[in-house]
Amino acid sequence: MAERIGGDALRVTRDVGIGATDYPSRVTRHTLRISSGEPDFVRRVEELSGEDVFACYQCGKCSAGCPFTSGMDLLPAEVLRLLQLGDERVLSSRSPWVCASCLACEVRCPKGVDIAKVMEALRLLILRKGETGLTWREIPPGVPQIALVGATRKLTP
Amino acid sequence: MSNEAKAFIAPRASHVARHAADKSPSRVTRHALPYFPGCALKDQARGFERAAQAAMERLGYELAELPRWNCCGTVYSLSSDDLMRHVAPVRNFIRVQELGERRLVTLCAMCYNTLRRSARFVSTDPERLQRINAFMDEEPDYAGGVEVLHLLQLLRDEIGYEEIEARVERPLYGLKVAPYYGCMLLRPREVGIDDPDRPETMELLFEYLGAEAVDSPHKVECCGAYQTVANPEIARERVLEIVGAAARRGADLIVTSCPLCTYNLEHHQLSVPGDASHVTGDKSSTRHALPVTRHVIPILYFTQLLAFALGAPGEELGFEQAAVDPRPVLAQRVGG
């Protein structure tokens, strides 16, 4: 349902399916505010990634082909959907930290959204506050430097 | 390949002079190519470099290590505002430029992707390049125009598989090879060396060497990459799918084109205990809590199998560094 909440802003209330494992509930009642602009963090994700998250039409191809979904709390398409809704829960999702930028989604997205860039932007929002996505007590023995450099570059400030 | 690139690879005076000193009658010319090793090929994967040198020598080429090369950065920055991450690649391009060369060959898919994407990133926007040049005030300006190649492209597009076939000394008849591409050679499309979903560059190469290529549904899927550091369980799950699929289709070995894939495939396939089938995966996730059979097969680098087929001696193949020794299966199938 939709109601006018002043000026040209509309409030749309609808059910949004959330299908990921471990997410609080499989169906969440959502309030979508359509107004003159999206929240700052969504705009920032779009700036950092250079991608239009509103281009996504939820076909789910990215989620179907993603080899890392078993470790994700939100599927890639759900990450995009929450961004479209301006839902801040996307900022505390584990999914961007499980994404390995393998670009399987990028080559298949029919709308040309580079989802790996969106995931990177979500990581950067956290990393640029000085927080880290990589905690280790010791460097795992035998792991080559190509992995260590990759992990520290993607997952630490 | 562009005509410009073709003109560049034409034999030059220095190559002819080099040829005159070369006693081998089988070598027509000897092309020296600027070569970017990267960290892995100089450390735990140095056998792959040795094998590449051996193979290329037999094909009339020399991989000439780039002077004063530095780390490529390993992973390409996907952020729009992170110019700093392009400094390392550009510095390498300046080294190529100083040699008067236009091309840079890598053996590593990660280096290939990072360098090739950076070359593209700076060449599509003169202002970005100008800012990077201004930042590196101790270096000459990079003028653009360096082309980054993975060795597989050179083998396929310039040397050609028929030429390679003609120089095979140990045909790989009877050997079943599962090529594994991973991500960085194929994606994104604008830097990929082949179709991102249905590549055949390695299949054809190994068929020309006499082997049978085994197709596998996971050959273009990520091995877990650097997640092997922070989330080894994720990488392990990926690897068991990839190796299991190739093994179930009868592959004698898997051939890779990225040192990180090689590490992950070798390391994680050995993590399954040998005694029985058991359950793997995140226990809270029912989707992946499936019984897993131990499959352990040798993982070779494409340069190793190429050098082997071209007749390189054992000490140039780096087989001894493999976590799973490929020599028994090669001896059994090929008589190596």
Side-chain angles (χ1 to χ4, degrees), chain A residues 47-48 70 97 102 108, chain B residues 78 80-81 187 197 227 237:
Chain A
E47 281 168 10
L48 284 170
S70 70
W97 306 95
C102 82
R108 292 169 189 165
Chain B
L78 296 172
S80 61
D81 66 352
R187 301 187 289 267
D197 282 315
Q227 293 290 8
E237 184 183 303

Side-chain angles (χ1 to χ4, degrees), chain A residues 21 47-48 67-68 70 97-100 102-103 107-108 120 124 128 134 136 142 144-146 149 153-154, chain B residues 43-44 73-74 76 78-81 85 183 187-189 197 226-227 229-230 234 237-238 263 287-288:
Chain A
T21 320
E47 281 168 10
L48 284 170
F68 294 100
S70 70
W97 306 95
V98 172
C99 166
C102 82
L103 307 181
V107 292
R108 292 169 189 165
E120 178 120 322
L124 288 173
R128 289 185 182 181
L134 181 61
W136 49 17
Q145 61 273 57
I146 190 170
V149 175
R153 283 207 141 193
K154 286 291 184 190
Chain B
D43 189 13
Q44 85 281 354
T74 309
Y76 181 75
L78 296 172
S79 145
S80 61
D81 66 352
R85 291 284 169 93
C183 314
R187 301 187 289 267
R189 216 176 281 270
D197 282 315
Y226 53 80
Q227 293 290 8
V229 177
I234 291 176
E237 184 183 303
R238 298 299 318 126
Y263 168 79
R287 267 185 292 178
H288 288 269

Side-chain angles (χ1 to χ4, degrees), chain B residues 265-279:
Chain B
L265 295 186
E266 283 203 316
H267 177 75
H268 291 293
Q269 68 168 345
L270 293 171
S271 68
V272 180
D275 46 348
S277 294
H278 74 130
V279 173

Side-chain angles (χ1 to χ4, degrees), chain A residues 101-154:
Chain A
S101 311
C102 82
L103 307 181
C105 51
E106 189 268 352
V107 292
R108 292 169 189 165
C109 177
K111 296 288 284 178
V113 181
D114 189 337
I115 300 146
K117 285 187 174 171
V118 174
M119 294 291 196
E120 178 120 322
L122 286 166
R123 286 192 296 270
L124 288 173
L125 287 183
I126 310 291
L127 296 176
R128 289 185 182 181
K129 290 178 187 159
E131 292 171 38
T132 183
L134 181 61
T135 47
W136 49 17
R137 282 165 220 96
E138 58 173 15
I139 293 175
V143 172
Q145 61 273 57
I146 190 170
L148 297 172
V149 175
T152 47
R153 283 207 141 193
K154 286 291 184 190

Side-chain angles (χ1 to χ4, degrees), chain B residues 262-322:
Chain B
T262 312
Y263 168 79
N264 278 338
L265 295 186
E266 283 203 316
H267 177 75
H268 291 293
Q269 68 168 345
L270 293 171
S271 68
V272 180
D275 46 348
S277 294
H278 74 130
V279 173
T280 187
D282 179 356
K283 301 295 183 291
S284 67
S285 159
T286 51
R287 267 185 292 178
H288 288 269
L290 298 168
V292 168
T293 308
R294 179 181 164 96
H295 292 290
V296 172
I297 59 178
I299 314 294
L300 281 189
Y301 215 58
F302 73 99
T303 59
Q304 293 178 295
L305 198 54
L306 176 64
F308 176 79
L310 294 177
E315 66 272 18
E316 293 182 354
L317 298 173
F319 288 165
E320 69 287 347
Q321 77 176 45

Side-chain angles (χ1 to χ4, degrees), chain B residues 54-73:
Chain B
M56 293 305 282
E57 194 181 307
R58 282 167 171 74
L59 295 169
Y61 282 77
E62 178 191 348
L63 296 175
E65 186 170 325
L66 188 68
R68 295 171 57 215
W69 60 270
N70 55 254
C71 176
C72 66

Side-chain angles (χ1 to χ4, degrees), chain B residues 27-40:
Chain B
R27 284 163 205 164
V28 184
T29 55
R30 182 101 183 246
H31 304 288
L33 288 164
Y35 155 60
F36 180 85
C39 60

